[in-house]
Amino acid sequence: MSKSIFIKADEVAKELGVSYSFASKLVRNLNQDLDERGFITIAGRVSRKYYEEKLYGQIQKEGGN
């Protein structure tokens, strides 16, 4: 099964080993950042790419330089 372009708060909670309420707050904060930049956001979900970049730093593509 392929991953969605969005990640939900329950997935964030499971991945980080934190409570659902903390994960929801994190998703809200990330969406607020995106909204302030003029992006369209969906409540309860955040761009997986943006989440990973903010959490883990710049992720390099596999096989790329």
Side-chain angles (χ1 to χ4, degrees), residues 9-57:
D10 59 339
E11 293 176 80
V12 172
K14 183 182 267 188
E15 185 173 312
L16 299 179
V18 297
S19 69
Y20 178 80
S21 61
F22 181 82
S24 293
K25 185 184 286 188
L26 181 60
V27 168
R28 266 193 309 276
N29 289 341
L30 293 172
N31 275 334
Q32 184 177 0
D33 289 345
L34 288 170
D35 189 53
E36 289 171 0
R37 293 173 164 193
F39 290 94
I40 297 170
T41 60
I42 301 172
R45 298 160 195 226
V46 69
S47 161
R48 186 177 300 274
K49 180 179 178 185
Y50 185 68
Y51 160 77
E52 290 175 350
E53 286 176 0
K54 291 292 281 189
L55 192 65
Y56 303 115

